[in-house]
Amino acid sequence: MAGMTEWVGPIPGTTLWRVTGGDQQHLVLPDAAMDLVISGNKIIFAGPDTQASLVSTQPGQVTWGLRFAPGMAHQMLGLPVCELQNERVALSELVELPMSVQEVAIHNPVLALKCSGTSLWRQCLASPTDIGLAHAIDHAARRGIRVKDLAEMQGLSTRTLQRICNRVFGYGPKTLVAIHQLNRAIGYGCKGIEPALVAVAAGYADQSHLIRSTQQLTGMTFNTLIKYRTAI
């Protein structure tokens, strides 16, 4: 059966996941998260997405991944993740990995993900303050706080907030808010709520605003997106 299963990851703030392919293409939506994904015999870093994409898999094909909490990927890679926006890059091209970890990927993807994630986290000099700020910004964005108010809540100028978000999330706070808002709307839409009511519940100005935002982030109409999501 097609679907996604999740477990608590090997490091606090990470989630280990498995997707089993079905008869349809898998729709990957922007979700303000970054992952390590096993592809063949490689560990791939999936950068921050600003657009939806369709991924083809064979029925029963299993894909494993490790998702990071806000701020973690930036700390672990030691670079602004905006440089990897909408990119899929072999992890070995970004950081030095033990050969043993790379070799085990094809035989034991779970072990490869756990080892690579744990190794990177132990090697980086993670700042609890920066991680905390990333969590606070993400939490406020999930609530739909306006960018100006979000900056004021953190005692930052809007320009400083923009720089931090680009570095940590891969895009600015306006895009971060829009991505969380869309995923909130999708949750309502998949429950059968009409788009006009979804727009109100998810915090859009009106239904036209919901339609425009959906088109910008997915290339689909909202109704098509919901039909696709509920059919999987």
Side-chain angles (χ1 to χ4, degrees):
M1 179 181 293
M4 184 172 191
T5 308
E6 298 181 342
W7 299 267
V8 175
I11 316 160
T14 62
T15 301
L16 182 69
W17 55 263
R18 179 187 67 198
V19 170
T20 304
D23 296 329
Q24 295 189 22
Q25 291 178 303
H26 178 64
L27 179 64
V28 179
L29 292 170
D31 60 2
M34 283 160 274
D35 307 74
L36 294 182
V37 181
I38 298 294
S39 178
N41 62 347
K42 290 184 177 181
I43 305 171
I44 303 296
F45 178 77
D49 290 328
T50 60
Q51 289 290 321
S53 59
L54 289 169
V55 178
S56 297
T57 58
Q58 297 297 321
Q61 179 181 337
V62 175
T63 303
W64 288 92
L66 183 67
R67 177 170 297 120
F68 300 111
M72 291 185 71
H74 159 63
Q75 298 273 337
M76 295 167 75
L77 298 179
L79 54 77
V81 292
C82 57
E83 297 179 7
L84 300 170
Q85 188 185 102
N86 297 315
E87 294 288 343
R88 302 292 184 266
V89 183
L91 185 61
S92 58
E93 295 181 14
L94 302 172
V95 294
E96 186 174 347
L97 286 176
M99 186 57 67
S100 58
V101 172
Q102 299 181 59
E103 291 174 347
V104 79
I106 192 170
H107 304 294
N108 193 331
V110 175
L111 180 60
L113 288 169
K114 288 182 176 180
C115 288
S116 56
T118 302
S119 176
L120 289 174
W121 187 244
R122 287 175 177 171
Q123 291 175 24
C124 77
L125 299 176
S127 166
T129 300
D130 290 347
I131 294 290
L133 178 59
H135 276 277
I137 292 172
D138 187 66
H139 180 68
R142 288 176 184 273
R143 292 164 53 202
I145 303 296
R146 295 187 308 169
V147 173
K148 182 180 178 181
D149 295 335
L150 199 162
E152 290 179 354
M153 287 172 61
Q154 301 303 324
L156 303 169
S157 67
T158 54
R159 182 173 296 181
T160 298
L161 177 64
Q162 178 78 31
R163 287 199 300 268
I164 291 172
C165 286
N166 282 334
R167 186 172 67 245
V168 172
F169 297 101
Y171 33 66
K174 185 177 180 180
T175 299
L176 180 65
V177 170
I179 286 172
H180 283 313
Q181 189 174 34
L182 175 61
N183 280 281
R184 191 161 60 248
I186 290 170
Y188 291 127
C190 287
K191 294 178 181 178
I193 300 175
E194 292 297 316
L197 297 178
V198 168
V200 174
Y204 290 95
D206 50 33
Q207 186 173 343
S208 295
H209 183 198
L210 166 65
I211 292 170
R212 289 195 306 273
S213 183
T214 303
Q215 184 68 37
Q216 289 170 356
L217 290 170
T218 70
M220 300 179 181
T221 66
F222 185 73
N223 286 335
T224 299
L225 175 60
I226 295 304
K227 286 179 181 178
Y228 195 99
R229 295 290 286 183
T230 54
I232 295 177

